[in-house]
């Protein structure tokens, strides 16, 4: 009996091929978007699940409020190395605790050959947590002895030409000798240790060494628990392995640690809050930091699911719309079935069967499309995403629930409508009213609300990305090269390198900076006041140490005052008495306390309350410390330059004004401006200068544009995703409007016939029907505008250099959606307007 329903449903699909195709394609696109988003989210939740103890491994996060700057910082997965040592000593229930750091590019020497390799520092307990695929050597405690190291199979083959490297030595940074105690194979499955699309920025390593192989912090016993340095330092990514017997839970551990903090840290300094989260969340935290700045409370997984759900909602409404229109047009068929004895429930089952078949075919289309798209996506992002297997009952049960909801939504109303139809009425009129007109308008309106929202978002995001690409954040036309080799390890002095390069013809400028442009993190600042009194209003400015010629090399416009000068001794940042040649004498101490000289940017001048750059020249401001009652240092303003963004996104807070200080010894990043006319010669001259100064230490350099490309690539990928979703939403919404046009023109043929009999012209009827179809689109745009405004405003606030939000994207969205609506219904409206009255009124 049930087979009969499906046979009839199959025949009806063949009889109405165009409607069936629109239903299947539209719903297939919607399902593909939603299922694709779900699969990606499921992939992000699977990170590090291949490790046996992953369910018990948690990452330690801490956030803090600093009283001195009046700033609140959200939880970050980096804590003080001292806190980790304290936990290890005072929480005996913990099975293991390990600090780790993202790999650094270190110079590795093997048999006299030097090369850069990614070196990752971890505590020995790391291998008690993560069962890495060790193929040779100590599998239990490979870093148990000082001076030990672990190497990947690929790195061993490159450096030594063989995997048989146990016991062999290598030197890191020309000063740390280590011996290889284990060889690890490639990590299978997504992991924060490198097998993911962030491996070049996060965890992929060639060599792993002990965290203390180059100790850079003071021993624990030199600190007391009430010192801010103990709690506020965010230096190490720290993992905790909780006991399998549940004797210490993450919640209990966090509460005990928080109690310890609260009882030792003075509120006058600030507050610190701790949290523990599963290790699987770390990668998504990194992505959210890159995309949303870390302080918005928005997750990329949540955004993807919402966007996928919006497209699926559009497709579902389109399906309901078309199913209703098609079912109402089949009233005569229903009337005949009832005359022949069909019951209401039998008619209802028939249309549920048709909805089920259509949704099933749409699902096959969606899964097929995803299977084809996933390899392309994986290749583009170096990901390991796959469609879940049949054993993943959560995925398939969730998908089944979605399908059931769509079938019920699409089939229930038409089935009930037709099941209640009276045979005489259905056979006489040949059609039924498919519910109130308000419902049809609402269905179309919701579809175009989603489409309009996505279009506005796409326009704004595209404009922002193009602005970033077009301006390059204000740098000159000449290419810039940044040298990332460690100057201290290479024993290269910034000033000497600059003097050498200054004599070379292809070099147009040289300088150094404390922080390279577009560095990943930011948003901090130091408190300043215009008054020496402690009670003065505090403003946050970012401090940056620079070398000579910084502003001219980067083409930063001088608005007022002067640049730093080599001829004015007071322009230099005073030497540190603990590091200077005359440490301990009164002259050095006096120099450290003298008035500082700074150049500020336009934003800093505005933050300090000066109406014009000229007003700031010669003014004194006071640099405050973080500790209460700490003496302030006077700073004399000698110049104001145009504000230049130093990073791409704001990390949740607008980029503060910048105070530049001339301090060449503390500028670790040389920036070389190369002549655009002879880039190849410029690179050769940089390498020659480096080789002359440090022949035994290889140079490492790249174009500054590469950093910029990495900084904006994530946003461009998101923009592409929005474009794809917007195209799908428009396509589906247009299908829905076409279906509505088909239905309405069928319903209003008699009305049109009467109007034409009374003298109405085709253009008048065309105008009438087009206006009827345009109203839900106009209403949808008005409904989408406030939602889109909030969304795109939040998005633009992520950027330091943002485009102005004007009404243009909103009106462009209105124009495009209206044109799409007119295009979708034009053929049907024109057909209806040309109806011959005699043909539709002959039965009246």
């Amino acid at each position: 009996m049930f087979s009969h329903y499906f046979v009839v449903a199959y025949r009806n699909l063949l009889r109405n091929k165009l409607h069936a195709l629109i239903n299947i394609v539209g719903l297939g696109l919607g399902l593909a978007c939603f299922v694709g988003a779900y699969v990606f989210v499921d992939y992000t939740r699977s990170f590090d699940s291949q490790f046996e103890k992953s369910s018990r491994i948690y990452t330690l996060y801490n956030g803090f409020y600093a009283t001195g700057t009046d700033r609140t910082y959200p939880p970050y997965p980096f804590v003080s190395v001292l806190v980790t040592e304290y936990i290890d000593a005072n929480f005996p229930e913990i099975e293991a605790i390990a600090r780790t750091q993202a790999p650094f590019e270190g110079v590795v020497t093997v048999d006299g050959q030097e090369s850069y390799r990614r070196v990752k520092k971890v505590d020995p307990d790391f291998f008690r947590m993560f069962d890495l695929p060790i193929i040779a050597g100590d599998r239990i405690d490979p870093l148990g002895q000082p001076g030990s190291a672990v190497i990947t199979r690929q790195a061993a083959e490159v450096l030594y030409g063989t995997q048989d490297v146990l016991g062999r030595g290598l030197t890191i940074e020309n000063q740390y000798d280590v011996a290889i105690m284990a060889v690890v194979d490639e990590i299978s499955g997504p992991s924060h240790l490198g097998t993911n699309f962030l491996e070049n920025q996060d965890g992929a390593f060639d060599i792993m060494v002990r965290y203390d192989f180059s100790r850079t912090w003071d021993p624990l016993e030199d600190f007391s628990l009430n010192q801010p340095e103990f709690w506020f330092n965010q230096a190490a990514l720290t993992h905790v392995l909780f006991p399998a017997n549940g004797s210490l839970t993450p919640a209990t551990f966090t509460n005990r640690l928080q109690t310890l903090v609260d009882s030792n840290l003075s509120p006058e300094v600030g507050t610190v809050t701790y949290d523990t989260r599963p290790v699987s969340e770390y990668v998504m935290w990194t992505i959210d930091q890159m995309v949303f700045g870390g302080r918005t409370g928005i997750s990329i997984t949540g955004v993807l699911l919402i966007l996928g759900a919006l497209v699926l909602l559009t497709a579902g409404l389109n399906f309901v719309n078309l199913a209703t229109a098609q079912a109402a047009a089949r009233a005569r068929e229903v009337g005949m079935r009832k005359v022949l004895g069909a019951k209401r429930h039998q008619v209802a089952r028939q249309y549920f069967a048709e909805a089920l078949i259509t949704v099933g075919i749409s699902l096959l289309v969606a899964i097929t499309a995803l299977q084809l798209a996933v390899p392309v996506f994986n290749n583009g992002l170096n990901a390991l995403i796959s469609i879940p297997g049949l054993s993943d009952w959560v995925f398939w049960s969730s998908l089944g629930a979605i399908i059931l909801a769509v079938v019920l939504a699409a089939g229930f109303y038409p089935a009930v409508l037709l099941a209640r139809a009276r045979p005489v009425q259905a056979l006489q009129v040949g059609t039924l009213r498919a519910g109130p007109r308000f419902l049809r308008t609402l269905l179309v309106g919701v579809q175009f609300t989603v489409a309009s929202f996505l279009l506005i978002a796409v326009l704004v995001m595209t404009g922002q990305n193009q602005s970033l690409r077009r301006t390059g954040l204000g740098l000159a036309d000449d290419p810039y090269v940044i040298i990332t080799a460690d100057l201290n390890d290479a024993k290269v002095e910034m000033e000497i390198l600059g003097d050498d390069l200054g004599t070379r013809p292809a070099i147009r400028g040289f300088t150094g900076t404390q922080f390279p442009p577009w560095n990943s993190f930011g948003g901090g600042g130091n408190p300043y006041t215009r008054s020496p009194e402690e009670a003065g209003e505090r403003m946050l400015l970012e401090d940056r140490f620079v070398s000579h010629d910084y502003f001219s090399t980067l083409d930063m416009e001088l608005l007022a005052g002067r640049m730093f000068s080599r001829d004015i001794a007071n322009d230099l940042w005073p030497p540190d008495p603990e590091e200077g040649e005359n440490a301990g004498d009164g002259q050095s101490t006096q120099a450290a306390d003298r008035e500082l000289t700074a150049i500020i940017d336009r934003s800093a001048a505005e933050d300090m309350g000066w109406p014009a750059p000229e007003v700031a020249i010669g003014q004194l401001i006071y640099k405050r410390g973080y500790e209460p009652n700490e003496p302030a240092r006077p700073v004399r303003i000698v110049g104001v330059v145009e504000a230049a963004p130093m990073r791409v996104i704001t990390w949740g807070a607008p980029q503060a004004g910048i105070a530049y200080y001339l301090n060449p010894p503390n500028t670790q990043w040389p920036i070389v401006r190369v002549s655009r006319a002879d880039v190849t010669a410029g690179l050769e001259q940089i390498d020659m200068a480096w080789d002359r100064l440090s022949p035994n230490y290889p140079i490492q350099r790249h174009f500054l544009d590469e950093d910029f490309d990495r900084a904006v690539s994530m946003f461009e990928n998101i923009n592409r995703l929005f474009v794809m979703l917007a195209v799908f939403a428009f396509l589906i919404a247009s299908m829905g409007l076409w279906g509505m046009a088909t239905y309405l023109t069928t319903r209003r043929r008699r009305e049109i016939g009467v109007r034409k009999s009374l003298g109405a012209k085709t253009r008048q009827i065309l105008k009438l029907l087009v206006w009827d179809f345009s109203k839900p689109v106009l209403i949808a745009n008005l409904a989408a505008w406030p939602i889109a405004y909030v969304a795109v405003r939040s998005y633009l606030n992520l950027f330091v250099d943002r485009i102005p939000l004007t009404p243009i994207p909103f009106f462009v969205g209105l124009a495009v959606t209206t044109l799409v609506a007119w295009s979708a219904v034009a053929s049907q409206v024109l057909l209806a307007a040309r109806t011959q009255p005699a043909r539709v009124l002959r039965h009246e």
Side-chain angles (χ1 to χ4, degrees), residues 434-623:
R437 184 176 181 180
F438 169 77
L439 179 61
R440 301 192 302 270
T441 303
L442 179 63
L443 293 177
V444 175
V446 173
Q447 294 178 57
F448 272 87
T449 298
V450 174
S452 177
F453 166 78
L454 291 175
L455 177 60
I456 294 170
V458 165
L459 292 173
V460 173
M461 295 175 71
T462 301
Q464 177 64 48
N465 290 343
Q466 290 178 346
S467 175
L468 290 177
R469 287 291 179 188
R470 183 173 58 253
T471 62
L473 294 187
L475 291 184
D477 292 335
D478 291 320
Y480 290 85
V481 175
I482 183 168
I483 299 175
T484 57
D486 193 300
L487 297 185
N488 293 326
D489 291 339
K491 296 180 174 54
V492 173
E493 294 185 18
M494 179 76 70
E495 294 294 297
I496 296 178
L497 177 61
D499 292 341
D500 189 310
L501 290 173
T503 63
R504 300 181 184 267
I507 305 302
R508 298 194 57 190
F510 176 88
T511 189
T513 179
Q514 179 187 16
F515 301 110
W518 314 307
N519 58 308
S520 297
F521 293 92
N526 296 292
Y528 284 80
T529 61
R530 289 182 57 181
S531 169
E533 285 78 19
E534 177 72 21
E537 183 181 2
R538 297 191 173 199
M539 301 294 178
L540 289 180
L541 302 181
E542 292 187 18
D543 294 345
R544 290 185 180 265
F545 293 151
V546 298
S547 292
H548 291 288
D549 304 321
Y550 180 82
F551 305 104
S552 60
T553 299
L554 296 183
D555 265 358
M556 296 178 64
E557 180 185 359
L558 179 67
L559 302 178
R562 64 176 178 85
M563 299 292 193
F564 291 127
S565 173
R566 287 181 169 84
D567 299 327
I568 302 178
N570 283 344
D571 279 0
L572 286 170
W573 181 274
D576 188 334
E578 296 181 0
E579 299 179 0
E581 295 180 359
N582 300 320
D585 63 20
Q587 182 179 0
S588 181
T589 302
Q590 183 179 3
D593 293 334
R594 69 168 170 79
E595 182 180 284
L596 303 175
T597 300
I599 293 175
I600 62 175
D601 66 4
R602 182 196 295 270
S603 296
E606 293 173 352
D607 291 343
M608 299 305 296
W610 292 307
E614 295 79 8
V615 180
I617 303 304
Q619 299 279 359
L620 271 178
I621 59 176
Y622 297 87
K623 179 178 170 61

Side-chain angles (χ1 to χ4, degrees), residues 821-839:
W822 288 352
S823 300
V825 302
S827 61
Q828 294 299 317
V829 170
L830 189 59
L831 179 62
R834 292 178 176 178
T835 299
Q836 297 180 7
R839 297 187 60 183

Side-chain angles (χ1 to χ4, degrees), residues 690-821:
W690 182 271
D691 290 340
R692 188 180 70 82
L693 297 174
S694 184
N696 298 321
Y697 198 98
I699 190 173
Q700 188 178 42
R701 55 169 172 75
H702 62 265
F703 288 107
L704 205 55
D705 287 347
E706 297 175 28
D707 291 339
F708 178 76
D709 289 339
R710 282 191 292 268
V712 302
S713 61
M714 182 68 72
F715 300 99
E716 292 180 333
N717 289 333
I718 293 176
N719 188 65
R720 295 188 187 99
L721 174 63
F722 264 82
V723 170
M724 180 186 68
L725 293 175
V727 169
F728 287 164
F730 271 120
L731 180 60
I732 296 169
S734 299
M735 292 178 180
L737 200 61
W738 190 92
M740 181 62 74
T742 303
Y743 166 72
L744 288 181
T745 51
T746 301
R747 287 289 307 156
R748 300 179 68 173
R749 284 182 183 272
R750 289 173 177 77
E751 174 193 341
I752 294 169
V754 173
R755 288 181 178 273
K756 298 200 76 173
S757 297
L758 297 176
K761 304 297 184 182
T762 298
R763 66 175 181 275
Q764 294 174 317
I765 296 175
L766 184 62
K767 180 179 178 181
L768 172 66
L769 295 180
V770 167
W771 172 242
D772 283 346
F773 291 131
S774 300
K775 283 190 291 186
V777 177
L778 294 174
I779 295 173
N781 274 272
L782 294 177
W785 283 1
I787 304 173
Y789 177 82
V790 174
V792 298
R793 169 64 70 181
S794 299
Y795 178 77
L796 290 177
N797 285 340
L798 297 175
F799 295 90
V800 173
D801 186 26
R802 63 182 69 96
I803 62 173
L805 183 56
T806 67
I808 294 178
F810 298 88
F811 286 108
V812 170
L814 173 62
V816 171
T817 51
T818 303
L819 289 175
V820 168

Side-chain angles (χ1 to χ4, degrees), residues 311-326:
V311 178
L312 180 58
L313 173 64
T314 304
L317 293 175
N318 170 65
F319 187 37
V320 173
N321 212 5
L322 291 177
T324 303
Q326 185 181 2

Side-chain angles (χ1 to χ4, degrees), residues 118-159:
R118 293 175 63 82
V119 182
K120 185 176 181 66
K121 302 196 309 183
V122 302
D123 278 325
D125 268 2
F126 184 85
F127 288 88
R128 296 178 59 190
M129 299 181 181
F130 301 96
D131 46 328
L132 300 186
I134 295 178
I135 58 178
D138 188 346
R139 290 175 170 79
I140 305 301
D141 192 17
L143 296 181
Q145 298 299 321
S148 56
V150 174
I151 193 170
T152 65
R153 176 180 56 81
Q154 298 90 333
E157 292 175 347
V158 171
L159 294 175

